Amino acid sequence: MNIKFVWFFSFVTIICSAQSRSVIELEKGWKFHKGDAATAEAIGFDDSGWQAVTVPHDWAIYGPFDKEIDKQTVAITQNGEKIPTEKTGRTGALPFTGTGWYRNTFEIADWAAGKKAILLFEGAMSEPQVYLNGAKIGEWAYGYAYFYFDISDKLLEGKNTLAVQLSNKEFSSRWYPGAGLYRPVSLIIKNAESIDQWGTTITTPIATAEVAQVTIKTRFTGENLRLTTTLYDTEGNEIAQNESTQSILNQFEQNIKVEKPQLWSPENPYLYTAVSKLYAGDELKDEVTTTFGIRSIHYSAENGFQLNGKTRKFKGVCLHHDLGPIGTAVNKAALRRQMQILKDLGCDAIRSAHNMPSFEQLELADEMGFMFLAESFDEWKKPKVENGYNRFFDDYAKRDVENLVRATRNHPAIVMWSAGNEVPDQYGSEGVKRARWLQELFHKEDPTRPVTVGMDQVKATMESGFGAILDVPGLNYRVHLYDEAYEKFPQGFILGSETASTVSSRGIYKFPVEKASMKEYPDFQSSSYDLEYCSWSNLPEDDFILQDDKPWVIGEFVWTGFDYLGEPTPYDTSWPSRSSYFGMVDLAGIPKDRYYLYRSRWNTQDETLHILPHWNWEGREGQKTPVFVYTSYDRAELFVNGKSQGIQIKNDSTPQTRYRLMWNDVIYEPGTLKVIALDENNKPVAEKEVKTAGKPYALKLEADRTTLNADGKDLAFVTVSVVDKNGIPCPTATNQLNFKVTGAGSFRAACNGDATSLELFHKPTMQVFSGKLVVLVQSSEKRGTIQLEVSGKGLKSESIKLNASL
């Protein structure tokens, strides 16, 4: 099998001149009500008692956490369960079920006949019923889908009233889906003669270091029009232009040559801009700006996956769409911070699991350099949960796929589509037909990228032919079946579409240190020695070996990059667990130990030298306390209070010793734990130490950034650590802290990364977990200084100043 896909881009439509097009983001002025409300769609409905909110908005993230919310008695078949058990916290234990209403009254000036108005929703959770000026204008089903309505005949000059009813049913999700208008809503006003919504398609059928062919297809409405497209480099310099007057079936096709292009890649995320202007005679009718990248992708048995002609393997993570303490309400600053942490990890790819990604996330992937596996569904026709997507598949699957591809196909980051994840339809001929139908639908909309499905029932897909028809066979776990799948599937390569599912709690270590599946402890935490996993999954090293030793394995997407709300495996029958343990990074965005295990092999530019566990073990004096080191170096010597514990060298005797340095017989004594990395001649090249901390004394504050945009939505993430009188972090501290924000900003949320915490994120108080937590500070719309003060009983208070500028 040899699949070559050449294509590029990043879709961002920007407002052009006022005479041709305007885009109004409906962010402010919303009123929200949780619960049903008769006649709430009516123009004259009294919503004065409703809550004032801004959109994006997630109504459920404010809690409270409740064991009874969406409690499910079920056998999770994709996890191999056969006997139903009571599941709590599976969907985050947050109040996302039920009905919610949103209303917004806005003004439109200079509305006239001959104009066109499009109302665009980038995500509405879920089953939205949409009303304008008292009349229903449409509905949708899938909470993750992008959709729009032509409201040209409903929009009024002057005051307009928009009302949206949303409904989340019980048993509709396997994780926390969020609730409400959690992604932007916007109004696009343009001329009737205009470029169609998502009507610009840019590909690069030729993309080499010497020359590129940029092919731009533009769908439009109108007659006797001409299109001028101008390309600009990243500095804004014009590099090429094309004018077209001939179209076929209301579509222009333009081919533009670019000499010596900058090729987009994770290492060089270079972006170009195309400005398309539509004219009737000399009158400008419409203008659309599209940001794009030039690059080629190629999948083959001979070379695996190639980007710009060079073979590489995906170093990817899976991400759910929630952003921890702010829920699913999309926020670009939160996404950027998340992706910066992944960039430092050495991660170069993201799988949107198991949902359609936000526009903001894709824009950042283009800009920051992440390849993207854009996923569509977690269910097809056969259900996983009673009220899941199975209810909508027949009526909506085609429309949802079309909108996904048309809205996002220009992003250079996207290198693959996923038609589904662990769908029960993997069994039998009907499932094969659905897989083929969906793949052909993706190909029709975008012939430049392959399609995969995350398969967990690998034996079944071998027998049915399901796996054989996919462009890219994706295996979720099942490391013991990789060789057999490679032999039986015709493609000649395998993708680890979901790997590991190792579980851990940041800063928590359990003894004895041993490998274990579905291990549970009285405190409902998992050990950060990174040797615990789930019944269906495995340890990181099992996947590392496949990536390193099998040239036909084209990469992996680890479950998961960050912890997320819901699915608290292995504690999904244990209250109060309410969020996952799978992440390399916890829910607060603080890296766990496992982050550094992956960093030691993924980030080839920077040194990694990380010691675990912490060295505060009162009561373990004289007992064996194993020490692991995750490092990019092959060997190191360990010292306890200056006494050598010997040199360890990575070796192939076990999967663990191939990738970790381990001293299993270290006897604990308080003091200093030091590791010195050595070169091949046993000469020191780097060192790191961990010290035993004294009693909690003070606080240390570190912001991810100190200058914010004064736009009312920018965020700074401030990590708060409890330290002793010498400034040494206290890794077992559990102090309750209080937060106060003054000046040109406000307190947004806090998170400690503890999967069992029932403290509300939006309250200005929280207990630290393993000595740390994170405070989110939000800018206002005023320029000035923001001050965060953190205090706790018996601790020296600390403050930090941030700057908000326009």
Side-chain angles (χ1 to χ4, degrees):
M1 183 178 186
N2 193 305
I3 317 170
K4 188 168 185 179
F5 300 90
V6 188
W7 163 284
F8 79 95
F9 103 53
S10 122
F11 176 99
V12 182
T13 301
I14 300 175
I15 307 307
C16 313
S17 60
Q19 70 185 74
S20 62
R21 171 184 288 244
S22 62
V23 178
I24 305 165
E25 186 168 330
L26 299 177
E27 180 183 15
K28 300 178 181 180
W30 290 94
K31 290 295 196 71
F32 168 72
H33 171 72
K34 176 68 185 296
D36 213 347
T39 71
E41 74 278 7
I43 296 174
F45 181 85
D46 182 8
D47 59 16
S48 60
W50 288 16
Q51 180 185 0
V53 299
T54 57
V55 167
H57 176 250
D58 178 354
W59 83 56
I61 194 61
Y62 301 99
F65 295 103
D66 188 339
K67 176 182 178 180
E68 300 301 316
I69 292 174
D70 203 35
K71 185 168 66 177
Q72 303 179 19
T73 301
V74 63
I76 304 176
T77 55
Q78 67 266 29
N79 293 354
E81 296 180 4
K82 299 185 183 302
I83 301 174
T85 55
E86 181 182 281
K87 303 295 194 296
T88 58
R90 193 183 187 198
T91 52
L94 288 163
F96 78 95
T97 59
T99 298
W101 276 92
Y102 291 83
R103 285 172 53 87
N104 192 316
T105 300
F106 56 91
E107 297 270 349
I108 296 295
D110 301 323
W111 177 250
K115 292 282 188 178
K116 177 175 283 191
I118 299 293
L119 183 63
L120 171 64
F121 292 82
E122 297 177 25
M125 192 65 69
S126 59
E127 301 182 52
Q129 309 283 315
V130 183
Y131 303 84
L132 185 66
N133 299 322
K136 185 174 180 179
I137 59 172
E139 63 184 33
W140 211 261
Y142 192 31
Y144 295 106
Y146 334 119
F147 60 95
Y148 64 89
F149 304 115
D150 186 334
I151 59 171
S152 304
D153 60 343
K154 300 285 194 307
L155 195 66
L156 304 175
E157 182 170 11
K159 186 178 294 186
N160 289 265
T161 300
L162 174 63
V164 184
Q165 182 191 40
L166 297 165
S167 178
N168 284 339
K169 289 182 169 56
E170 291 183 324
F171 318 128
S172 60
S173 183
R174 300 192 298 118
W175 56 84
Y176 176 67
L181 295 175
Y182 70 103
R183 290 178 181 168
V185 179
S186 55
L187 180 63
I188 302 163
I189 298 176
K190 56 184 181 174
N191 293 310
E193 297 173 301
S194 58
I195 296 169
D196 293 349
Q197 180 67 18
W198 303 328
T200 302
T201 303
I202 307 179
T203 61
T204 52
I206 299 173
T208 70
E210 295 302 316
V211 67
Q213 176 186 319
V214 179
T215 297
I216 304 175
K217 296 180 180 180
T218 307
R219 300 195 63 84
F220 66 94
T221 300
E223 297 179 355
N224 300 318
L225 302 174
R226 63 183 173 91
L227 182 73
T228 298
T229 298
T230 307
L231 303 187
Y232 299 89
D233 64 17
T234 194
E235 287 80 28
N237 302 310
E238 180 179 330
I239 58 173
Q241 188 177 88
N242 181 284
E243 181 172 301
S244 300
T245 58
Q246 300 298 316
S247 62
I248 300 175
L249 299 176
N250 283 78
Q251 178 174 279
F252 289 110
E253 180 172 333
Q254 299 170 305
N255 292 292
I256 303 176
K257 183 179 181 181
V258 177
E259 299 276 4
K260 296 191 179 304
Q262 291 270 4
L263 300 182
W264 185 95
S265 70
E267 296 73 32
N268 181 45
Y270 192 94
L271 297 173
Y272 292 88
T273 301
V275 178
S276 302
K277 296 183 178 182
L278 190 67
Y279 292 91
D282 292 329
E283 183 183 358
L284 178 64
K285 289 294 184 179
D286 200 6
E287 181 179 336
V288 168
T289 297
T290 306
T291 305
F292 69 95
I294 296 173
R295 58 108 175 107
S296 69
I297 56 174
H298 185 203
Y299 297 78
S300 69
E302 295 76 22
N303 297 305
F305 167 67
Q306 291 184 309
L307 177 68
N308 300 325
K310 297 179 181 179
T311 297
R312 62 188 297 158
K313 297 196 177 192
F314 294 107
K315 298 181 292 187
V317 300
C318 301
L319 290 179
H320 267 314
H321 72 305
D322 80 65
L323 292 168
I326 61 173
T328 62
V330 70
N331 180 284
K332 205 162 187 177
L335 283 168
R336 186 183 296 277
R337 181 233 187 186
Q338 189 178 70
M339 294 165 79
Q340 286 170 336
I341 292 169
L342 292 176
K343 202 72 175 177
D344 179 69
L345 173 67
C347 172
D348 66 8
I350 294 170
R351 176 190 180 211
S352 62
H354 305 290
N355 52 268
M356 299 174 179
S358 68
F359 294 170
E360 291 86 350
Q361 188 179 37
L362 291 174
E363 290 164 8
L364 286 170
D366 291 339
E367 171 193 327
M368 299 176 69
F370 288 91
M371 297 178 290
F372 219 93
L373 197 172
E375 196 150 83
S376 50
F377 308 120
D378 188 53
E379 274 187 12
W380 293 350
K381 183 69 171 175
K382 292 184 178 180
K384 290 183 183 178
V385 289
E386 179 182 336
N387 290 318
Y389 191 75
N390 64 87
R391 295 181 295 138
F392 312 126
F393 184 84
D394 287 342
D395 294 331
Y396 277 91
K398 181 176 183 293
R399 287 184 283 173
D400 285 335
V401 168
E402 288 173 344
N403 283 2
L404 166 63
V405 178
R406 292 172 187 176
T408 67
R409 59 190 164 194
N410 293 325
H411 287 278
I414 298 178
V415 296
M416 199 185 316
W417 304 109
S418 171
N421 170 70
E422 297 182 1
V423 293
D425 313 64
Q426 290 168 83
Y427 295 95
S429 61
E430 286 301 313
V432 176
K433 292 175 184 176
R434 288 185 192 116
R436 186 185 299 277
W437 174 74
L438 283 166
Q439 181 164 274
E440 290 175 350
L441 180 57
F442 274 102
H443 286 169
K444 178 183 176 183
E445 294 298 321
D446 173 20
T448 74
R449 295 181 179 89
V451 179
T452 190
V453 170
M455 299 181 294
D456 63 329
Q457 303 302 317
V458 179
K459 284 285 190 181
T461 65
M462 292 178 188
E463 296 169 3
S464 68
F466 185 107
I469 67 170
L470 298 173
D471 296 329
V472 177
L475 267 60
N476 286 9
Y477 316 105
R478 310 302 185 262
V479 292
H480 62 289
L481 295 176
Y482 267 56
D483 286 300
E484 185 179 355
Y486 172 63
E487 291 298 324
K488 291 189 175 179
F489 292 154
Q491 295 91 339
F493 54 84
I494 298 290
L495 172 69
S497 46
E498 191 170 313
T499 64
S501 273
T502 309
V503 292
S504 62
S505 302
R506 176 182 54 80
I508 302 296
Y509 305 93
K510 302 295 186 179
F511 304 96
V513 178
E514 57 189 5
K515 289 192 288 185
S517 173
M518 303 299 285
K519 182 75 172 179
E520 297 185 35
Y521 301 93
D523 61 357
F524 301 157
Q525 304 292 351
S526 294
S527 178
S528 201
Y529 273 107
D530 302 320
L531 291 173
E532 296 175 5
Y533 53 97
C534 299
S535 57
W536 67 87
S537 65
N538 52 269
L539 296 179
E541 290 87 355
D542 299 327
D543 293 297
F544 294 170
I545 290 170
L546 288 168
Q547 303 300 321
D548 289 346
D549 295 356
K550 309 288 187 182
W552 41 266
V553 178
I554 64 172
E556 67 171 318
F557 288 86
V558 180
W559 192 264
T560 53
F562 281 66
D563 278 338
Y564 56 92
L565 291 161
E567 290 193 315
T569 313
Y571 295 107
D572 52 6
T573 60
S574 304
W575 183 253
S577 295
R578 48 73 173 151
S579 59
S580 82
Y581 300 78
F582 296 117
M584 303 177 193
V585 184
D586 74 13
L587 198 71
I590 303 174
K592 303 179 187 178
D593 293 297
R594 187 159 20 101
Y595 175 93
Y596 299 96
L597 178 60
Y598 282 89
R599 189 182 191 273
S600 70
R601 56 181 264 107
W602 280 3
N603 185 340
T604 58
Q605 303 301 313
D606 301 310
E607 170 191 286
T608 298
L609 188 58
H610 178 78
I611 311 174
L612 64 134
H614 61 70
W615 213 235
N616 272 60
W617 294 107
E618 186 177 356
R620 285 194 63 82
E621 291 82 0
Q623 298 184 47
K624 286 185 179 180
T625 305
V627 175
F628 291 0
V629 171
Y630 299 157
T631 179
S632 49
Y633 298 101
D634 288 332
R635 64 185 68 191
E637 186 172 9
L638 183 72
F639 298 85
V640 176
N641 293 329
K643 182 179 179 180
S644 176
Q645 307 296 303
I647 294 173
Q648 292 290 340
I649 303 173
K650 292 178 183 176
N651 62 79
D652 292 341
S653 61
T654 69
Q656 279 67 53
T657 58
R658 183 170 172 177
Y659 299 98
R660 314 179 191 210
L661 299 178
M662 302 188 295
W663 289 261
N664 291 314
D665 298 322
V666 176
I667 301 300
Y668 174 68
E669 60 181 61
T672 300
L673 187 66
K674 178 189 282 189
V675 65
I676 299 178
L678 307 171
D679 66 13
E680 58 185 10
N681 297 315
N682 287 337
K683 292 185 177 180
V685 289
E687 67 177 56
K688 189 68 65 70
E689 63 182 25
V690 174
K691 294 184 177 182
T692 303
K695 294 181 179 180
Y697 175 78
L699 298 167
K700 180 181 178 181
L701 277 56
E702 299 173 281
D704 68 326
R705 47 205 288 257
T706 56
T707 300
L708 305 183
N709 294 320
D711 58 5
K713 53 190 175 184
D714 204 4
L715 296 173
F717 291 77
V718 181
T719 300
V720 182
S721 303
V722 177
V723 298
D724 69 8
K725 64 181 180 180
N726 296 315
I728 299 171
C730 299
T732 61
T734 58
N735 302 71
Q736 189 77 27
L737 303 183
N738 301 304
F739 323 115
K740 182 179 180 181
V741 178
T742 55
S746 61
F747 170 79
R748 174 67 186 272
C751 186
N752 60 16
D754 180 2
T756 70
S757 173
L758 300 183
E759 292 185 274
L760 300 181
F761 299 125
H762 65 287
K763 298 291 186 181
T765 182
M766 185 167 284
Q767 187 178 56
V768 297
F769 177 65
S770 295
K772 294 179 182 287
L773 55 71
V774 172
V775 178
L776 284 66
V777 177
Q778 182 167 303
S779 67
S780 68
E781 293 185 345
K782 294 182 179 180
R783 178 185 300 182
T785 299
I786 308 169
Q787 179 165 299
L788 166 65
E789 182 179 355
V790 184
S791 60
K793 186 177 180 180
L795 296 173
K796 183 180 178 182
S797 299
E798 188 59 85
S799 63
I800 190 171
K801 289 186 178 180
L802 311 172
N803 182 52
S805 60
L806 295 176

